[in-house]
Amino acid sequence: MPTVSVKWQKEVFPKVEIDTSLPPYVFKCQLFDLTGVPPERQKIMVKGGLLKDDADWATLGVKDGQKLMMMGTADEIVKAPEKGPVFMEDLPEEEQAVAVGYTAGLLNLGNTCYMNSTIQCLHSVPELKSALTMYPSERSRDLDPKSHMLTAATRELFDELDKSVKPVAPMKFWTVLRNKFPQFGQLHNGLWMQQDAEECWTQLLYTLSQSLRTPSPRVHCQESGEESSETESVYALKCHISQEVNHLHEGLRHGLKSELEKASPILGRSAIYLKESRINALPRYLTVQFVRFFWKRESNQKAKILRKVDYPLELDVYDLCSDDLQKKLEAPRRILREEEGKKLGLKAKENISGSKDNDVKMSDAEGPSNEGGESSKAGLEEGGASDKEAQLTGIYDLVAVLTHKGRSADSGHYVAWVKQESGKWIEYDDDSPIPQREEDITKLSGGGDWHMAYICMYKARSVPM
């Protein structure tokens, strides 16, 4: 086994053994260990030219003590990392929550799934969290102490959820909620009773918000021909369910019409009026309630309508709006269609693209419109000035679904299904967050004993103007 010396740049490596029973590639690997020059970059001068990987040592005539010259550039030496690997379980809880991509679940304190699912849905609203962060610690004079305590407790609970990956026990919030609304503290045989999540949702929004100006109903008497207009504030649009209702939009239309009996000045007696409502102000977040429960006298409890009612990921309420609001929505909707067309590679029509500047000028002349751009949430003012540059379009994207499983509002189980900022959906079953596929969210439409949508929350799609 001959021994040679190898010169590389300014270095000389003496007594390098060559195993002639192995191909020259193995010798190159030895030099790689010494110099850091990969075999494919090595150029070793031998008799007859450069040393090839599969050459025959016998024909090369390499002798013991011979000097070989090698050329080639070494790889950069890999430096050891300044910091060692950090495992997720070693991170602070707040950083773990960011790494996981969703926040913590809520412990069930005894039939409190109605409260947990409500909190998880509302917790998904960034504007609400920002408003609560700025909420003062001291109570204002025009706010009652219990409302102040509940708002502060909501802020603290949201903060806990943002900083934790372990299940959070909402004990303080639940205590304050029962103090403000005693109906949530009902007991049966010493156990906390199940409550209606819609009632919890509405009462919490009532506390956190000012009223939202929404449907403006028009009352028409079919007998006398009288008409009158009234304005009322609501916290959610109702989807009434009947044999004719198969889709959310049909239920919303049905819910905006009703009959009532009132005194008619013309007839001088009570008469039946047809009440038709239209939306005259849109919120940034729209709450829709499926009216699935009704009072059943036979069983003396709230019974559930199991009928399947489909609902979309994208909801357009333009045709449910008043004429004045529809006019305000036309320009933003044109701009939205243009932007979506560009994304799809479609060429905008000349009359549309040419009217864009005029639309903006017209909007500036009219001033910011609260009717078309309320920064409130189906009855929830988000605590800050509305964004004057963003105009609502009447189109909404689904961001949360609160479902109920069971046959009665006072029993069964409530679960929240919430869309994260990343676009992923998480099922919050009390203290167990479970990732879900978006295509499975719209399957919670009813028709059996599985989880079915009870409350849907939609986020407005807006355009800058």
Side-chain angles (χ1 to χ4, degrees), residues 86-100 162-166:
V86 179
F87 298 97
M88 185 176 292
E89 56 267 24
D90 297 327
L91 292 171
E93 280 202 35
E94 189 170 357
E95 292 184 25
Q96 288 186 40
V98 174
V100 170
D162 285 332
K163 294 181 178 179
S164 179
V165 289
K166 298 177 181 178

Side-chain angles (χ1 to χ4, degrees), residues 43-57:
K43 295 182 179 179
I44 303 172
M45 306 302 294
V46 294
K47 181 181 177 182
L50 297 177
L51 178 63
K52 296 183 179 180
D53 294 347
D54 56 353
D56 185 0
W57 286 111

Side-chain angles (χ1 to χ4, degrees), residues 104-348:
L106 290 166
L107 291 171
N108 194 315
L109 305 177
N111 282 330
T112 58
C113 58
Y114 69 92
M115 179 187 75
N116 291 349
S117 54
T118 297
I119 287 293
Q120 292 289 11
C121 288
L122 298 182
H123 177 249
S124 69
V125 181
E127 295 88 342
L128 176 58
K129 290 197 285 187
S130 298
L132 287 171
T133 301
M134 296 184 290
Y135 183 75
S137 299
E138 295 185 4
R139 177 177 63 89
S140 60
R141 293 182 179 180
D142 56 347
L143 188 66
D144 67 277
K146 292 182 179 180
S147 294
H148 171 71
M149 290 176 64
L150 182 56
T151 304
T154 306
R155 178 187 60 197
E156 293 174 14
L157 181 55
F158 279 16
D159 189 53
E160 278 190 82
L161 287 172
D162 285 332
K163 294 181 178 179
S164 179
V165 289
K166 298 177 181 178
V168 174
M171 182 60 73
K172 181 179 179 180
F173 177 86
W174 189 38
T175 302
V176 176
L177 180 69
R178 285 183 286 128
N179 188 34
K180 169 70 176 172
F181 303 107
Q183 64 267 35
F184 297 121
Q186 292 177 311
L187 293 170
H188 180 67
N189 295 330
L191 300 174
W192 300 110
M193 293 178 61
Q194 176 70 284
Q195 302 293 333
D196 190 341
E198 187 275 332
E199 184 178 3
C200 179
W201 182 296
T202 302
Q203 296 289 17
L204 183 56
L205 286 188
Y206 177 80
T207 304
L208 296 176
S209 67
Q210 297 178 350
S211 296
L212 168 69
R213 294 172 297 161
T214 40
S216 178
R218 189 167 190 81
V219 181
H220 172 74
C221 180
Q222 294 177 317
E223 295 181 69
S224 65
E226 297 171 84
E227 283 192 359
S228 64
S229 294
E230 303 170 358
T231 300
E232 62 179 327
S233 299
V234 298
Y235 288 91
L237 292 180
K238 307 286 186 181
C239 175
H240 288 268
I241 302 174
S242 65
Q243 294 296 325
E244 295 79 27
V245 173
N246 297 302
H247 193 273
L248 171 62
H249 211 275
E250 297 170 341
L252 292 178
R253 279 184 168 279
H254 185 65
L256 292 175
K257 294 181 180 180
S258 60
E259 290 184 350
L260 71 157
E261 185 177 348
K262 58 182 290 187
S264 169
I266 293 179
L267 298 177
R269 59 176 174 82
S270 294
I272 301 298
Y273 285 74
L274 177 63
K275 178 180 177 182
E276 294 187 8
S277 300
R278 287 293 179 267
I279 301 171
N280 61 21
L282 289 173
R284 189 62 58 90
Y285 288 84
L286 177 66
T287 298
V288 176
Q289 181 209 349
F290 292 83
V291 186
R292 289 197 172 276
F293 297 107
F294 66 97
W295 188 257
K296 196 172 184 178
R297 294 182 179 179
E298 296 80 6
S299 57
N300 199 32
Q301 65 177 1
K302 287 183 180 178
K304 185 176 181 181
I305 301 173
L306 302 177
R307 182 178 179 82
K308 180 180 179 181
V309 179
D310 292 320
Y311 55 92
L313 292 172
E314 177 187 302
L315 178 65
D316 190 348
V317 297
Y318 178 80
D319 60 337
L320 304 180
C321 298
S322 64
D323 292 342
D324 289 341
L325 181 53
Q326 285 184 354
K327 291 178 182 178
K328 295 178 186 295
L329 294 175
E330 286 176 0
R333 289 170 71 88
R334 280 200 300 270
I335 295 175
L336 179 64
R337 285 195 296 268
E338 264 188 64
E339 291 179 351
E340 291 179 344
K342 289 177 182 177
K343 291 179 182 179
L344 296 173
L346 302 177
K347 188 176 181 180

Side-chain angles (χ1 to χ4, degrees), residues 352-364:
I352 293 179
S353 59
S355 65
K356 183 176 181 180
D357 294 336
N358 293 334
D359 292 338
V360 175
K361 291 177 182 178
M362 185 181 297
S363 175
D364 292 340

Side-chain angles (χ1 to χ4, degrees), residues 358-379:
N358 293 334
D359 292 338
V360 175
K361 291 177 182 178
M362 185 181 297
S363 175
D364 292 340
E366 293 174 351
S369 169
N370 285 335
E371 287 81 9
E374 285 285 337
S375 61
S376 51
K377 166 192 188 19

